[in-house]
Amino acid sequence: MSRPKTKSLVIGLAAAAVIALAGMGGGYFWETSRRATIARQSAPAMPALQNAHPELRRRISAAMDELRDGSRPLETLGELSSLYHANGYLSEASKCYRGLLQLDPDNPRWADLQADIAAGFGNLEEAIPLYRVVIARAPEHEASRIHLGDALLKLNRTAEAKTVFQEALSKNPANAYALLGSARCEIAAEQWAAASENLQKCVRLEPDFGAAWALLATVAERLKNTELSKIALARSGKNARFHDIPDPWIEALLDDCYDSYKLRVAAAVARSAGKDDTAARLLERTLRLTSDDPAAHRELGKLRSAQKDFSEARAHLRRAVEFAPDDSENWIAYVVMAQSAGDIPDATRSLLAGLAHNPNSPGLRLLNGRRLAALRDYDAALAEFVAAQKLRPNEADAFVEIALVDLRRGQIDAAVQQLNAALNVELDHPMALLALIRISIDRGERKTADELLARAALQSRIAAADLNDLQSAYQAKFSHESH
């Protein structure tokens, strides 16, 4: 009597299991379909790409086809966003990121990239909460913290901005961008001494940080520190281009960039930050896109020369001078490489060939003057240095080279005149300043030495060892004298 009931129970349980599995499967397929729909709806209409690199057109078209297929919505929309962002199609990239924030809300990368575009368009109120999302989910991400502080400062929310910059410094006291941000907050509050302290720390950490030098010039003037203001103003003029704080997620976009100029600029920034491997990779990518780009060959050649890979350096620099013989920078790079490699005959031949193509190049004239001075043909060397001086009167190198020839000839007064002229052109030229200090010590001119050493102490381009040597020479010369 019990068997029919048992059979009915088994059948019922089996049916329930089938229904449950069907429900699970239906939920999975519904979620997959939903995600594919979000991805398709987040893909912008394809912009006009007739002037774009053929591979970029192909990859965007393939990504659009894959989105219609719907099998990998997150990965495909992420690739499409990178292609658009990396190549300047920012509105299209922004639409992709809105979809990615729905599909992958726990990934802080999408919020950071969307904030970068919003801030670039001046939509700071939109960018601020996105930066806060990044900081909450990736507290080690320095760039978003600095960008949040900058956005708050631009909206005159100075107290909030200062808190953000102080948090950044608590995590990394050597963060030059946080020091700059803190100084900007202090300037807004007219706390000039504190601003000066932070800016001087900043330029000691980053000697080529033009924005920090420019602010330091203003602050030093306000504090009536005329000497520091002059030096800071000179340094800011030589480093006018602002480089944003490195952001690994922004930098990763360069792997999808097809703009040769943008890649070269990024390579220069990477090299100035000591990231030679990154710079080489970007320059090699540039040359894969445009094999006859002389500037890319030159910069990669210079990088390989610095790494003592003279074979590869020579190959790239030969291409540079072949593609653009009228660009003196290519010849200068080749000559310097050949000299570094110890191939003086090749350096000399290339220098003379470069001058034949570019007779009015001050850089090549300087190199030729140094070659002639090394041969002790001082009259011919001076003629080259004077020519370079006339061609580029606002740079100090030619003045210093003339002074060095004067020193070799024992014409100390003439050398001093040229070195002072060099400092009039470039207030913080390290070689000119060091040479003048040495001459003033040797001559027993204590007052002049004191003034020049005080100037040298403000310089970020003078090595501590060189300054210590001069201070030792000063003590040895004047220790017996009373003040």
Side-chain angles (χ1 to χ4, degrees), residues 405-422:
V405 171
D406 289 335
L407 288 172
R408 290 187 184 114
R409 287 177 155 178
Q411 298 172 352
I412 309 301
D413 289 339
V416 168
Q417 184 178 354
Q418 290 294 328
L419 291 169
N420 280 316

Side-chain angles (χ1 to χ4, degrees), residues 88-119:
Y89 299 96
L90 301 183
S91 296
E92 288 80 4
S94 182
K95 185 174 182 184
C96 292
Y97 291 136
R98 285 194 287 272
L100 289 162
L101 284 165
Q102 294 181 64
L103 293 171
D104 192 20
D106 294 328
N107 189 339
R109 179 185 173 200
W110 311 127
D112 181 58
L113 295 170
Q114 178 73 311
D116 175 70
I117 293 175

Side-chain angles (χ1 to χ4, degrees), residues 12-32:
L13 289 172
V18 169
I19 292 169
L21 287 170
M24 290 172 62
Y28 170 79
F29 288 116
W30 179 87
E31 175 62 15
T32 301

Side-chain angles (χ1 to χ4, degrees), residues 106-425:
D106 294 328
N107 189 339
R109 179 185 173 200
W110 311 127
D112 181 58
L113 295 170
Q114 178 73 311
D116 175 70
I117 293 175
F121 283 133
N123 299 329
L124 299 179
E125 296 288 3
E126 178 187 345
I128 284 171
L130 291 166
Y131 287 134
R132 293 195 189 280
V133 166
V134 180
I135 292 167
R137 292 175 183 161
E140 75 287 351
H141 193 260
E142 287 189 318
S144 283
R145 202 178 294 274
I146 297 305
H147 290 146
L148 172 60
D150 288 340
L152 291 167
L153 195 51
K154 288 175 183 175
L155 293 174
N156 295 318
R157 293 161 62 175
T158 308
E160 292 176 76
K162 184 157 187 180
T163 298
V164 171
F165 291 129
Q166 290 302 315
E167 288 171 354
L169 287 170
S170 71
K171 293 180 176 295
N172 178 12
N175 187 326
Y177 292 88
L179 287 167
L180 176 65
S182 290
R184 290 167 62 203
C185 294
E186 287 150 359
I187 289 169
E190 298 187 356
Q191 297 171 345
W192 303 105
S196 179
E197 182 180 351
N198 275 325
L199 290 168
Q200 289 189 63
K201 287 180 186 176
C202 182
V203 295
R204 281 195 293 270
L205 289 166
E206 297 286 345
D208 294 329
F209 202 161
W213 282 113
L215 272 186
L216 183 56
T218 300
V219 171
E221 184 178 0
R222 189 65 181 247
L223 292 171
K224 302 189 185 307
N225 189 336
T226 305
E227 189 66 29
L228 179 58
S229 180
K230 286 180 180 178
I231 291 169
L233 190 61
R235 291 303 304 275
S236 68
K238 287 188 170 293
N239 301 281
R241 177 179 287 174
F242 177 77
H243 297 306
D244 203 353
I245 183 170
D247 182 334
W249 290 324
I250 297 292
E251 290 174 0
L253 296 172
L254 293 168
D255 291 331
D256 287 321
C257 179
Y258 290 86
D259 183 329
S260 295
Y261 175 76
K262 187 175 180 180
L263 287 167
R264 287 203 312 273
V265 170
V269 172
R271 185 141 191 236
S272 67
K275 299 177 181 178
D276 284 359
D277 289 345
T278 299
R281 179 172 56 80
L282 293 172
L283 290 168
E284 286 165 352
R285 175 171 174 76
T286 304
L287 290 171
R288 284 196 298 273
L289 299 174
T290 315
S291 61
D292 60 351
D293 186 329
H297 279 294
R298 179 183 68 237
E299 295 309 314
L300 187 53
K302 289 166 65 176
L303 190 155
R304 295 306 185 204
S305 180
Q307 295 173 331
K308 308 300 182 186
D309 184 352
F310 296 117
S311 177
E312 186 176 346
R314 191 184 302 271
H316 283 294
L317 291 169
R318 276 180 176 160
R319 300 296 298 277
V321 297
E322 288 168 6
F323 288 135
D326 294 333
D327 187 340
S328 64
E329 293 302 315
N330 296 332
W331 291 103
I332 290 169
Y334 190 97
V335 171
V336 171
M337 176 278 303
Q339 290 173 339
S340 299
D343 192 345
I344 302 307
D346 187 28
T348 301
R349 285 192 301 270
S350 301
L351 174 56
L352 297 177
L355 279 168
H357 284 282
N358 304 273
N360 293 320
S361 164
L364 288 171
R365 288 297 188 99
L366 278 172
L367 285 175
N368 199 36
R370 289 170 185 153
R371 178 184 72 85
L372 293 165
L375 296 172
R376 298 189 179 184
D377 189 349
Y378 295 132
D379 289 337
L382 278 175
E384 289 292 80
F385 294 142
V386 169
Q389 195 178 60
K390 289 178 179 177
L391 288 165
R392 195 176 285 166
N394 295 322
E395 292 191 7
D397 287 346
F399 293 91
V400 173
E401 295 292 348
I402 293 170
L404 292 176
V405 171
D406 289 335
L407 288 172
R408 290 187 184 114
R409 287 177 155 178
Q411 298 172 352
I412 309 301
D413 289 339
V416 168
Q417 184 178 354
Q418 290 294 328
L419 291 169
N420 280 316
L423 291 181
N424 286 335
V425 170

Side-chain angles (χ1 to χ4, degrees), residues 435-457:
L436 280 171
I437 294 170
R438 173 62 69 178
I439 291 169
S440 65
I441 292 172
D442 290 344
R443 286 179 153 186
E445 297 170 348
R446 184 168 188 168
K447 182 180 179 182
T448 302
D450 286 340
E451 292 173 354
L452 293 171
L453 281 167
R455 287 177 65 176

